[in-house]
mmCIF file of all heavy atoms in Angstrom:
data_model
loop_
_atom_site.group_PDB
_atom_site.id
_atom_site.type_symbol
_atom_site.label_atom_id
_atom_site.label_comp_id
_atom_site.label_asym_id
_atom_site.label_seq_id
_atom_site.Cartn_x
_atom_site.Cartn_y
_atom_site.Cartn_z
ATOM 1 N N GLU A 312 -98.055 -38.323 -19.075
ATOM 2 C CA GLU A 312 -97.980 -37.381 -17.955
ATOM 3 C C GLU A 312 -96.528 -37.193 -17.518
ATOM 4 O O GLU A 312 -95.848 -38.144 -17.135
ATOM 5 C CB GLU A 312 -98.814 -37.888 -16.774
ATOM 6 C CG GLU A 312 -100.305 -37.923 -17.043
ATOM 7 C CD GLU A 312 -101.089 -38.362 -15.818
ATOM 8 O OE1 GLU A 312 -101.004 -37.663 -14.787
ATOM 9 O OE2 GLU A 312 -101.763 -39.397 -15.891
ATOM 10 N N LYS A 313 -96.048 -35.936 -17.553
ATOM 11 C CA LYS A 313 -94.647 -35.655 -17.240
ATOM 12 C C LYS A 313 -94.297 -36.007 -15.797
ATOM 13 O O LYS A 313 -93.185 -36.405 -15.508
ATOM 14 C CB LYS A 313 -94.347 -34.183 -17.518
ATOM 15 C CG LYS A 313 -94.405 -33.831 -19.000
ATOM 16 C CD LYS A 313 -94.007 -32.381 -19.232
ATOM 17 C CE LYS A 313 -94.032 -32.062 -20.732
ATOM 18 N NZ LYS A 313 -93.644 -30.643 -20.989
ATOM 19 N N GLU A 314 -95.239 -35.862 -14.895
ATOM 20 C CA GLU A 314 -94.951 -36.117 -13.487
ATOM 21 C C GLU A 314 -94.648 -37.582 -13.200
ATOM 22 O O GLU A 314 -94.099 -37.920 -12.166
ATOM 23 C CB GLU A 314 -96.135 -35.683 -12.614
ATOM 24 C CG GLU A 314 -97.392 -36.532 -12.839
ATOM 25 C CD GLU A 314 -98.498 -36.192 -11.852
ATOM 26 O OE1 GLU A 314 -99.187 -35.188 -12.068
ATOM 27 O OE2 GLU A 314 -98.646 -36.949 -10.872
ATOM 28 N N PHE A 315 -94.989 -38.445 -14.138
ATOM 29 C CA PHE A 315 -94.740 -39.878 -13.940
ATOM 30 C C PHE A 315 -93.259 -40.158 -13.719
ATOM 31 O O PHE A 315 -92.887 -41.046 -12.947
ATOM 32 C CB PHE A 315 -95.240 -40.662 -15.146
ATOM 33 C CG PHE A 315 -94.919 -42.132 -15.106
ATOM 34 C CD1 PHE A 315 -95.602 -42.992 -14.254
ATOM 35 C CD2 PHE A 315 -93.922 -42.665 -15.908
ATOM 36 C CE1 PHE A 315 -95.306 -44.344 -14.205
ATOM 37 C CE2 PHE A 315 -93.618 -44.013 -15.883
ATOM 38 C CZ PHE A 315 -94.306 -44.856 -15.029
ATOM 39 N N SER A 316 -92.385 -39.419 -14.387
ATOM 40 C CA SER A 316 -90.948 -39.683 -14.301
ATOM 41 C C SER A 316 -90.339 -39.266 -12.972
ATOM 42 O O SER A 316 -89.208 -39.651 -12.664
ATOM 43 C CB SER A 316 -90.214 -38.972 -15.440
ATOM 44 O OG SER A 316 -90.386 -37.569 -15.346
ATOM 45 N N THR A 317 -91.066 -38.503 -12.172
ATOM 46 C CA THR A 317 -90.534 -38.031 -10.886
ATOM 47 C C THR A 317 -90.213 -39.217 -9.976
ATOM 48 O O THR A 317 -91.066 -40.056 -9.705
ATOM 49 C CB THR A 317 -91.541 -37.104 -10.182
ATOM 50 O OG1 THR A 317 -91.865 -36.011 -11.047
ATOM 51 C CG2 THR A 317 -90.965 -36.573 -8.879
ATOM 52 N N GLY A 318 -88.975 -39.275 -9.516
ATOM 53 C CA GLY A 318 -88.554 -40.344 -8.608
ATOM 54 C C GLY A 318 -88.166 -41.634 -9.296
ATOM 55 O O GLY A 318 -87.781 -42.600 -8.624
ATOM 56 N N LEU A 319 -88.255 -41.692 -10.621
ATOM 57 C CA LEU A 319 -87.905 -42.902 -11.355
ATOM 58 C C LEU A 319 -86.519 -42.779 -11.984
ATOM 59 O O LEU A 319 -86.142 -41.705 -12.467
ATOM 60 C CB LEU A 319 -88.929 -43.186 -12.454
ATOM 61 C CG LEU A 319 -90.346 -43.525 -11.983
ATOM 62 C CD1 LEU A 319 -91.279 -43.698 -13.172
ATOM 63 C CD2 LEU A 319 -90.354 -44.784 -11.126
ATOM 64 N N THR A 320 -85.769 -43.876 -11.971
ATOM 65 C CA THR A 320 -84.415 -43.897 -12.531
ATOM 66 C C THR A 320 -84.350 -44.909 -13.670
ATOM 67 O O THR A 320 -84.453 -46.115 -13.430
ATOM 68 C CB THR A 320 -83.379 -44.282 -11.460
ATOM 69 O OG1 THR A 320 -83.498 -43.390 -10.353
ATOM 70 C CG2 THR A 320 -81.972 -44.223 -12.027
ATOM 71 N N PRO A 321 -84.194 -44.451 -14.908
ATOM 72 C CA PRO A 321 -84.082 -45.411 -16.016
ATOM 73 C C PRO A 321 -82.830 -46.274 -15.871
ATOM 74 O O PRO A 321 -81.790 -45.801 -15.418
ATOM 75 C CB PRO A 321 -83.979 -44.508 -17.254
ATOM 76 C CG PRO A 321 -84.539 -43.187 -16.820
ATOM 77 C CD PRO A 321 -84.196 -43.060 -15.373
ATOM 78 N N ILE A 322 -82.948 -47.544 -16.235
ATOM 79 C CA ILE A 322 -81.792 -48.433 -16.192
ATOM 80 C C ILE A 322 -81.265 -48.653 -17.602
ATOM 81 O O ILE A 322 -81.963 -48.407 -18.585
ATOM 82 C CB ILE A 322 -82.134 -49.785 -15.539
ATOM 83 C CG1 ILE A 322 -83.083 -50.584 -16.442
ATOM 84 C CG2 ILE A 322 -82.720 -49.608 -14.155
ATOM 85 C CD1 ILE A 322 -83.194 -52.027 -16.038
ATOM 86 N N GLN A 323 -80.028 -49.126 -17.676
ATOM 87 C CA GLN A 323 -79.392 -49.404 -18.962
ATOM 88 C C GLN A 323 -78.816 -50.810 -18.923
ATOM 89 O O GLN A 323 -78.175 -51.207 -17.959
ATOM 90 C CB GLN A 323 -78.301 -48.368 -19.241
ATOM 91 C CG GLN A 323 -78.858 -46.954 -19.393
ATOM 92 C CD GLN A 323 -77.769 -45.897 -19.421
ATOM 93 O OE1 GLN A 323 -76.679 -46.111 -18.902
ATOM 94 N NE2 GLN A 323 -78.073 -44.766 -20.020
ATOM 95 N N PHE A 324 -79.074 -51.543 -19.986
ATOM 96 C CA PHE A 324 -78.595 -52.911 -20.088
ATOM 97 C C PHE A 324 -77.238 -52.933 -20.777
ATOM 98 O O PHE A 324 -77.023 -52.245 -21.774
ATOM 99 C CB PHE A 324 -79.579 -53.775 -20.892
ATOM 100 C CG PHE A 324 -80.888 -53.997 -20.202
ATOM 101 C CD1 PHE A 324 -81.940 -53.113 -20.390
ATOM 102 C CD2 PHE A 324 -81.066 -55.085 -19.364
ATOM 103 C CE1 PHE A 324 -83.159 -53.315 -19.764
ATOM 104 C CE2 PHE A 324 -82.279 -55.295 -18.736
ATOM 105 C CZ PHE A 324 -83.317 -54.407 -18.928
ATOM 106 N N GLY A 325 -76.323 -53.732 -20.246
ATOM 107 C CA GLY A 325 -75.008 -53.874 -20.854
ATOM 108 C C GLY A 325 -75.005 -54.920 -21.944
ATOM 109 O O GLY A 325 -76.000 -55.590 -22.198
ATOM 110 N N PRO A 326 -73.868 -55.106 -22.633
ATOM 111 C CA PRO A 326 -73.789 -56.040 -23.750
ATOM 112 C C PRO A 326 -73.364 -57.455 -23.369
ATOM 113 O O PRO A 326 -73.396 -58.347 -24.206
ATOM 114 C CB PRO A 326 -72.726 -55.401 -24.650
ATOM 115 C CG PRO A 326 -71.803 -54.723 -23.676
ATOM 116 C CD PRO A 326 -72.667 -54.252 -22.531
ATOM 117 N N GLU A 327 -72.963 -57.672 -22.121
ATOM 118 C CA GLU A 327 -72.368 -58.959 -21.757
ATOM 119 C C GLU A 327 -73.227 -59.712 -20.752
ATOM 120 O O GLU A 327 -73.769 -59.127 -19.810
ATOM 121 C CB GLU A 327 -70.976 -58.748 -21.159
ATOM 122 C CG GLU A 327 -70.220 -60.044 -20.894
ATOM 123 C CD GLU A 327 -68.819 -59.800 -20.368
ATOM 124 O OE1 GLU A 327 -68.459 -58.631 -20.154
ATOM 125 O OE2 GLU A 327 -68.100 -60.794 -20.153
ATOM 126 N N ILE A 328 -73.349 -61.020 -20.988
ATOM 127 C CA ILE A 328 -74.095 -61.893 -20.083
ATOM 128 C C ILE A 328 -73.116 -62.652 -19.195
ATOM 129 O O ILE A 328 -72.120 -63.191 -19.673
ATOM 130 C CB ILE A 328 -74.952 -62.898 -20.886
ATOM 131 C CG1 ILE A 328 -76.170 -62.197 -21.460
ATOM 132 C CG2 ILE A 328 -75.414 -64.063 -20.028
ATOM 133 C CD1 ILE A 328 -77.186 -61.764 -20.430
ATOM 134 N N PHE A 329 -73.400 -62.666 -17.883
ATOM 135 C CA PHE A 329 -72.583 -63.435 -16.948
ATOM 136 C C PHE A 329 -73.248 -64.793 -16.737
ATOM 137 O O PHE A 329 -74.282 -64.889 -16.077
ATOM 138 C CB PHE A 329 -72.443 -62.699 -15.620
ATOM 139 C CG PHE A 329 -71.866 -61.312 -15.760
ATOM 140 C CD1 PHE A 329 -72.570 -60.201 -15.323
ATOM 141 C CD2 PHE A 329 -70.623 -61.121 -16.345
ATOM 142 C CE1 PHE A 329 -72.046 -58.924 -15.448
ATOM 143 C CE2 PHE A 329 -70.091 -59.845 -16.478
ATOM 144 C CZ PHE A 329 -70.805 -58.743 -16.032
ATOM 145 N N LEU A 330 -72.646 -65.823 -17.305
ATOM 146 C CA LEU A 330 -73.227 -67.155 -17.223
ATOM 147 C C LEU A 330 -72.637 -67.959 -16.071
ATOM 148 O O LEU A 330 -71.531 -67.680 -15.607
ATOM 149 C CB LEU A 330 -73.040 -67.904 -18.532
ATOM 150 C CG LEU A 330 -73.921 -67.435 -19.696
ATOM 151 C CD1 LEU A 330 -73.653 -68.274 -20.923
ATOM 152 C CD2 LEU A 330 -75.393 -67.487 -19.335
ATOM 153 N N ALA A 331 -73.416 -68.965 -15.668
ATOM 154 C CA ALA A 331 -73.054 -69.793 -14.513
ATOM 155 C C ALA A 331 -72.780 -68.905 -13.309
ATOM 156 O O ALA A 331 -71.807 -69.076 -12.582
ATOM 157 C CB ALA A 331 -71.844 -70.666 -14.834
#
Side-chain angles (χ1 to χ4, degrees):
E312 294 183 61
K313 292 184 178 180
E314 67 173 80
F315 175 74
S316 62
T317 303
L319 295 176
T320 305
I322 69 166
Q323 296 170 336
F324 292 90
E327 186 177 3
I328 284 291
F329 303 121
L330 287 181

